[in-house]
Amino acid sequence: MATEETRDLSSEALARPPVIGPGYNFTSITDKISAIVLRRKTSRGWLAGFGVSFAIVSLLLYAVGRLLVLGIGIWGVEIPVAWGFAIANFVWWIGIGHAGTLISAILLLLHQKWRTSINRFAEAMTLFAVMCAGLFPLLHMGRPWFFYWLLPYPNTMTLWPQFRSPLVWDVFAVFTYFTVSLVFWYIGLIPDLATLRDRAKSKFAWFVYGVLSMGWRGGSRHWRRYDAVYLLLAGLATPLVVSVHTVVSFDFAVSILPGWHSTIFPPYFVAGAIYSGFAMVITLAVPIRAVYGLEDFITMRHLENMAKIMLATCLMVTYSYLSEIFFAWYSGDRVEQYMEANRMIGPYAFMFWLLVACNIVIPQALWFQRVRRSVPLLFVISIVVNVGMWTERYVIVVTSLHRDFMPSSWGMYSGTWWDYATLFGTIGLFLFLFFLFIRFLPAISMAEMRELVPEAKVQEAEG
Amino acid sequence: MKTRRRAELYGLLAEFDGPQGLLDAARAAREAGYRCMEAYTPFPVEEISEVIGARRLWIPLIVLVGGVCGGLGGFFMEYYASALHYPLNIGGRPLWSWPAWIPITFELTVLVAALSGALGMLAINGLPQPYHPVFNVERFKLATQNRFFLCIEAADPKFDRDVTRDFLTGLQPREVFDVKD
């Protein structure tokens, strides 16, 4: 990895594959990206995908409706494992969102120009993932219609939320994350919405994109303020990449349960979040670039860079697993030691070893450039990592809860059919929203792509 | 009388192929003494906003003030709720438990800063603004796609319909348009 980076840097000007295919100009970029929304006929593949994902959303609606009527007894949660699927799914989905923010904010601040073509849909992925994530704690509350009790608002009971509780921190963290991501995404979209407005053929499209673009006309004074706020939003979103999953990990780490009560949790969760997030970006980018012919915009270099980030975060996560095991042993705490052994050889051992295979062993293939440059292999590995990261959250939630300090309170847990239906349903919801996004909004930022074209360069004033 | 004249013509709009042409034109217009002008580009061109005449940038200050208000507001909300308005004695633990209030303080700092930055940018830019005279020019549609426009406004004291038109034509644009108000 190190030598590869050095080589990359030393011969940067010569050998680095470009971030955009050759021969593009302002017109062709605009045409190609906006055509997906405005000109192309809705493809059969899109309709099929949309239909299938809508069917899965219907399943989700049914599962949630049933939950609202009958209560969370239809899930497998029970004392001692009161968290189960819902929290594992929540952590998994929130984690997936992180790559979007990292790409859009941190890579922007670091002047990584290759981020340009993937940041828009990575941000959309963040939003949809956080929507899916937010469902689970709400539904898990039992009476979701009282969710607003979590918020500080003047009420006749003169009650306040318990601000010392990590669960309330979580509400603020997720709400802030969603809102800031949405604002960042929308501000980024405004110039592109104006492009769609100006290219729209139908009156209806012209009106809708016109309203959404708020009358953007690209004046240089506007651009200056726009750029300033976009950069500042990136700066504000950057600590969110680290803080959201940190706060999520506090839900675990602030408790005193064996396996949870650990200071390594925040960095461990953040690394895992970025790991699964980049896996999801690859999972989405591979089909999008193939179906819409965007290989010139989302190039091999993008996929390879993402694969490298995945490998790096894979190693961080691996280090966290190892240090968990080491500290369990080194602490001399019998409960900790038992928890760790139970994880590896107890009733949930299969899940633990599945996690090791998916998150540690298989992604090591990314060390090889041939694997990183093979689209099908990358796609398969990204799916494996997604599965592995879900398994990790399942293992964290269940193995610590099901056997804690007192053997008399031990128990077993397994998800019911409705647990699986809800998890599967949110995957459907995610894809459903993504299909809508691809069809109705530009999946790649046209305004930012134009800046990458050679003719966008201007010379400084002379004298 | 003056208002009527302005009602007829908002300004003159010149169309350019690339950012370089626009930048040169903007520089020339500035040297010729024009001040009320605006450049329209399909992506941000930093150099042009410098030439056009950049006023003080308020955005960073707005974001800072928003962030400070969010942070202080969040912290004192938590203090008020947990220590003054609804104190809970849990095993004699201190009510002034400020470390536990930091995560929400941080989140509200970011939230309010981001919202005030975004809303501030829109407000100062005067958006949403459904109508603007430049939209009356049919080819202005290209300003969000692949063309670069320079508009010298009739409000400029040096503006004269014919002289300014000749001046703009001399800058080798693709075309010069009247912008009706």
Side-chain angles (χ1 to χ4, degrees), chain A residues 249-260:
Chain A
S249 81
F250 285 163
D251 291 343
F252 298 86
V254 173
S255 76
I256 53 165
L257 225 57
W260 288 2

Side-chain angles (χ1 to χ4, degrees), chain A residues 99-109 115 119 122-123 184 230 234 237:
Chain A
T101 320
L102 187 128
I103 289 171
S104 62
I106 296 186
L107 296 186
L108 176 79
L109 297 180
R115 76 177 256 293
N119 90 71
E123 283 173 40
F184 196 34
Y230 197 70

Side-chain angles (χ1 to χ4, degrees), chain A residues 296-334:
Chain A
D296 285 339
F297 295 160
I298 305 172
T299 62
M300 240 11 255
R301 178 163 157 211
H302 293 100
L303 296 180
E304 207 184 335
N305 279 358
M306 290 194 277
K308 283 179 188 167
I309 297 181
M310 247 168 60
L311 181 60
T313 44
C314 160
L315 296 177
M316 292 181 210
V317 168
T318 307
Y319 173 79
S320 304
Y321 297 154
L322 292 176
S323 79
E324 268 195 318
I325 297 167
F326 170 78
F327 279 109
W329 166 74
Y330 191 69
S331 69
D333 183 323
R334 281 180 58 204

Side-chain angles (χ1 to χ4, degrees), chain A residues 26-27 30-31 152 157-165 168-169 172-177 179-180 183 186-187 190-191 194-200 206 211 213-229 232-233 236-237 239-240 243-244 247 250 446-448 450-451 455-462, chain B residues 17-20 23 27 35 37-45 47-49 52-57 59-60 63 77-78 80-83 85-86 88 90 94-97 99-101 103-104 106-108 110-111 113-115 117-118 121-122 124-130 132 134-135 140-148:
Chain A
F26 302 136
T27 316
T30 312
D31 283 348
M157 303 171 282
T158 67
L159 284 174
W160 286 92
Q162 173 54 282
F163 289 123
R164 298 182 187 101
S165 158
V168 174
W169 302 348
F172 280 85
V174 174
F175 178 73
T176 300
Y177 188 43
T179 313
V180 173
V183 167
Y186 184 67
I187 295 281
I190 288 175
T195 304
L196 293 180
R197 170 198 69 200
D198 291 342
R199 288 178 67 87
W206 170 80
V211 168
S213 67
M214 300 202 269
W216 180 261
R217 47 187 193 275
S220 64
R221 295 187 179 90
H222 285 192
W223 273 123
R224 186 159 160 267
R225 298 185 192 111
Y226 175 93
D227 267 355
V229 87
L232 284 168
L233 284 177
L236 288 168
L240 291 185
S243 73
V244 179
V247 172
F250 285 163
M446 292 183 276
E448 287 188 48
R450 289 186 199 114
E451 291 183 66
E455 58 178 312
K457 298 263 182 311
V458 290
Q459 285 157 4
E460 284 299 313
E462 289 154 34
Chain B
D17 270 327
Q20 189 66 53
L23 182 58
R27 279 187 187 132
R35 290 296 175 271
M37 54 181 176
E38 179 63 295
Y40 300 93
T41 53
F43 59 87
V45 185
E47 292 82 356
I48 288 183
S49 49
I52 289 296
R55 273 167 284 177
R56 183 162 160 54
L57 194 58
I59 301 290
V63 172
M77 172 185 74
E78 292 177 85
Y80 175 75
S82 315
H85 190 231
Y86 203 90
L88 272 178
I90 300 168
L95 290 174
W96 170 248
S97 58
W101 301 331
I104 293 180
F106 165 78
E107 298 295 345
L108 287 177
V110 172
L111 180 68
L115 286 178
M121 184 273 285
L122 293 177
I124 301 179
N125 280 349
L127 302 175
Q129 184 182 3
H132 191 275
V134 286
F135 289 131
F140 189 73
K141 277 189 181 347
L142 298 176
T144 56
Q145 300 176 43
N146 53 5
R147 291 286 190 264
F148 300 76

Side-chain angles (χ1 to χ4, degrees), chain A residues 365-380:
Chain A
L366 295 172
W367 285 101
F368 300 99
Q369 193 174 51
R370 223 178 323 145
V371 177
R372 292 200 303 269
R373 292 200 173 163
S374 152
V375 176
L377 279 178
L378 269 184
F379 186 69
V380 170

